[in-house]
Amino acid sequence: MLRPIQTFTVAPSIPPELSALTTLAQNLMWAWVDEPMAVFMRLDPDLWESTHHNPVQMLGSIRQERLNTLARDDAFLAQLDRAVRRYQEYIESTGTWYAKGHPEGAGVRFAYFSAEFGLTECLQTYSGGLGILSGDHLKAASDLGVPLIGVGLLYQQGYFRQYLNADGWQQERYPENDFFSLPIALERNKDGTPLTISVDLPGRTLHAQIWRVQVGRVPLYLLDTNIPQNSHDDQNITDQLYGGDRELRIKQEILLGIGGYRALKALGIQPDVYHLNEGHSAFLTLEHCRELIAEKGLTFREAREATIASTVFTTHTPVPAGNDYFAPELVERYFASYYPSLNLSSKDFHSLGRENVDNERESFCMTVLALRMSGKSNGVSKLHGEVSRQMWKNVWPKVPVHEVPIISITNGVHAPSWVSHDLGELYDRYLGPKWREDAGQFGLWSRVHHIPDEELWRTHERRRERLVAFARHRLRGQLEARGTTATEIAQADEILNPEALTIGFARRFATYKRATLLLRNPERLIALLNSKDRPIQFIFAGKAHPHDTPGKELIRQIIHFERRADVRRRMVFIEDYDMVVARYLVQGVDVWLNTPRRPLEASGTSGMKATMNGGLNASILDGWWVEGYNANTGWAIGRGEDYRDEKYQDEVESNALFDLLEKDIIPLYYHRSADDLPRGWISKMKSAIRTIGPEFNTNRMVREYAELMYLPSSERMRSFSANGFKRTKEIASWKEDIHRNWHDIRITNVALEAHDGIKVGDVITLRATIDLGSLEPEDVLVEACYGSVNAAEMLEHPVMTPMTVEGKANGTSHTFTASIKLEVAGRVGHTVRVLPSHRDLVDRFHEGLIIWATS
């Protein structure tokens, strides 16, 4: 083998008539807008598939003769012209939701930081749900015209590619990505050299170059350390997504947070709001503080207030292991030279990432850092919001769990990216084309009932047939790669029945997702699979984390079960789950199965995608399904019960799933009218689409982020930074005074002025005497808390009523009163609490300061 001394690329010459192809290829708009995608598919269908839908690679390798032929093809040129006009209309439109609905937000920019982005299958910067959500978030922001900027890392190998050995055990491979054949562009200085940024690591400087991915109207900037300025080890920092040990992880998160912040500055971009999508990027809040201290002369307390005002945070996992923790020694090694620039001691720095600030052995948690440094925080479903408040209550130890300052914004999916082309055309005809760019309109989705049953069913049947053909093709390839016999390979064409009830299960193979729940009763399952009159079939897909041995064991169990002679034709596992596999599955299955151990599923989005394609969900009442389920949208496995005994839970919920299949799902699917249509099933499909379509999409989700998080935070930051950060300094000074004097507050007396024989509707007066020490009544909010008392002597669903200051009692004591109207009968109790109060408090509970009256 000979090594060249220089390499260069020779690409076909694009004829002038086709020059617009290059423009279209460099904007990922083709990943969800039909016209540009259709052009590339027509360019060379086989090459489109073999390049994993990568138009840049296509244009770099297509035969010159093919290009020359197309340059003379009037039909192709007309199609290209339509795609270009569609592209220009989209990019140049001034009539977006954001432009029309929020003119006050003109000129404002929001930065969205995430460790992964799932945008298209040829760009391996994602591993699963978090990345797909991030990608859908950017696409929806583009559709809505929200001025978003994405920031992440560009991985040389990305997440691993999965294959199975002969025993069904997951193996991993890490192919190298050629960045110069991807739809990305290197950011350069004016002299043409790559634009780079740097961050300090122990004893050295880490450099990174910046790549740009254009996602419709939204730019995404990705950092890459694989450059000569770095040592070999540091070049590998951006090799793999979620690879390596804790030390590699902290280096990646320093690069993402601190490096990402510096990258935007190097690009001349100053966001008004920073959105931390999961805690991986939380170090950016420290860099924001450092810059404000260095450039604006603020103290750390003041810089922190400005940072809190301009930062929002989304937590995604209710599983403790899903949150990043770093040992104190590791944090000290990487930040000992950094925290002096914040004017912080080592203890103060570490306390930012600890639930118990006094426990010096507690690990540094990125989620805690994000919660402490963000003005607004949210979970990703209503149930996950409840779980998150319970999970992180120790950050605010005296605050009632239901008032912990974490709200919920339920996830959604980007409909144009996931709805099949066939069904999309049907939606265009009967719903109108606006479902593509404004899927959050409720009235629009109600038109699904105008679709004739036969048209909807035949469209769905075509997608199921394509899924079966795809599964057969992939299985054949898997068997060939394993070196199995010709007979076994030939049998791949016999698996699955294009007309049978098809159930899909595809997700990360973590043990709590219980992929093998049905295998607890193999005889009952085999009877369903082999029914002559009403057969069912299963398609599985998913990856276990490379270090998750129990998750790999679940895959192995499914593989061994599906190889049984009486199962083989009715069950298949598709290797290397990615966006292509996901798209075929959600577009073709009849039922999407989800069996997590409640309440460990934060949200989940694959079931939403299935429903938008006409699939029905059968799921544990966890994550988003708690909100999406009703009797007309799918099936619930159980009733949302919580269990202490996991084995008992598995047994109960496995039987419940079999009962659903045997008594409800299978009979409904196979009950046909005289014209051979399952009209009851189709009615349920339409109800699910109508209900879930407008609510569980990223257009609705991004609107909520914009209106609840981004715009209020940008307005807050604008006021905080005005007049030399005058209000920032005021609130920081006030908070310092409040924290210094808070523990001097005493609730010395609480008296209820009531008469005998109190009845519902009566008004009583509650009076409290409170010694405020050196504080003033305007520094506090005093509330009366009252409501029904349960058997455990606790208030249930208490009502909070502000108490007004009546006057000074004596010295530093003040009297506060409230009138309470009694609305319920039975045992009623009351108490009083004191909270800090200031016009510029981002949230009254954020400081964790609260004093309760004691008996």
Side-chain angles (χ1 to χ4, degrees), residues 113-116 130 151-153 155 197 199-201 206 223 225 237-238 240-243 245-262 276-287 313 321-326 330-331 334-335 338 364-370:
F113 281 65
S114 183
E116 49 176 307
L130 176 68
V151 180
L153 302 181
Y155 304 98
I197 56 93
V199 295
D200 291 332
L201 295 182
L206 175 70
L223 302 183
T225 64
I237 287 175
T238 53
Q240 296 176 8
L241 173 59
Y242 304 143
D245 57 13
R246 303 310 299 167
E247 186 157 12
L248 177 60
R249 179 65 68 88
I250 199 171
K251 287 187 286 189
Q252 287 185 331
E253 298 190 356
I254 288 170
L255 177 64
L256 175 60
I258 298 176
Y261 185 96
R262 293 179 182 179
L276 316 179
N277 190 44
E278 197 54 282
H280 306 119
S281 58
F283 288 138
L284 84 80
T285 61
L286 304 179
E287 179 65 8
F313 168 56
N323 297 273
D324 280 332
Y325 289 85
F326 298 116
L330 188 60
V331 174
Y334 278 86
F335 284 94
Y338 185 87
F364 190 99
C365 178
M366 296 296 284
T367 303
V368 172
L369 175 64

Side-chain angles (χ1 to χ4, degrees), residues 49 68 94 99 295 420 476 484 510 556 586 593 600 615 705 728:
E49 294 300 328
N68 294 339
T94 58
E295 298 186 2
S420 73
R476 173 181 281 272
T484 52
R556 195 186 71 86
V586 299
L593 180 62
L600 299 182
Y705 275 109
T728 299

Side-chain angles (χ1 to χ4, degrees), residues 93-167:
S93 173
T94 58
T96 64
W97 167 80
Y98 185 85
K100 292 188 294 185
H102 292 284
E104 79 281 7
V108 176
R109 287 185 288 187
F110 316 118
Y112 181 87
F113 281 65
S114 183
E116 49 176 307
F117 288 91
L119 292 159
T120 180
E121 43 271 26
C122 70
L123 194 58
Q124 291 291 321
T125 51
Y126 66 96
S127 72
L130 176 68
I132 300 301
L133 179 79
S134 300
D136 280 8
H137 193 115
L138 265 56
K139 293 173 183 176
S142 173
D143 291 342
L144 295 170
V146 176
L148 201 68
I149 302 154
V151 180
L153 302 181
L154 184 61
Y155 304 98
Q156 190 72 48
Q157 298 173 343
Y159 202 51
F160 71 92
R161 309 309 298 263
Q162 177 198 56
Y163 68 98
L164 305 181
N165 66 16
D167 188 44

Side-chain angles (χ1 to χ4, degrees), residues 25-84:
Q26 289 292 342
N27 190 314
L28 262 59
M29 177 182 154
W30 50 259
W32 74 91
V33 177
D34 280 352
E35 290 89 344
M37 183 186 296
V39 166
F40 291 115
M41 292 175 68
R42 182 171 177 178
L43 193 64
D44 190 323
D46 293 335
L47 194 56
W48 174 252
E49 294 300 328
S50 65
T51 59
H52 303 287
H53 306 167
N54 181 352
V56 171
Q57 187 177 354
M58 285 182 69
L59 294 178
S61 57
I62 194 170
R63 292 176 293 109
Q64 187 67 50
E65 310 91 86
R66 176 62 176 163
L67 291 174
N68 294 339
T69 299
L70 290 172
R72 300 187 298 271
D73 186 332
D74 290 344
F76 181 82
L77 293 175
Q79 185 178 13
L80 176 60
D81 181 63
R82 289 193 298 272
V84 171

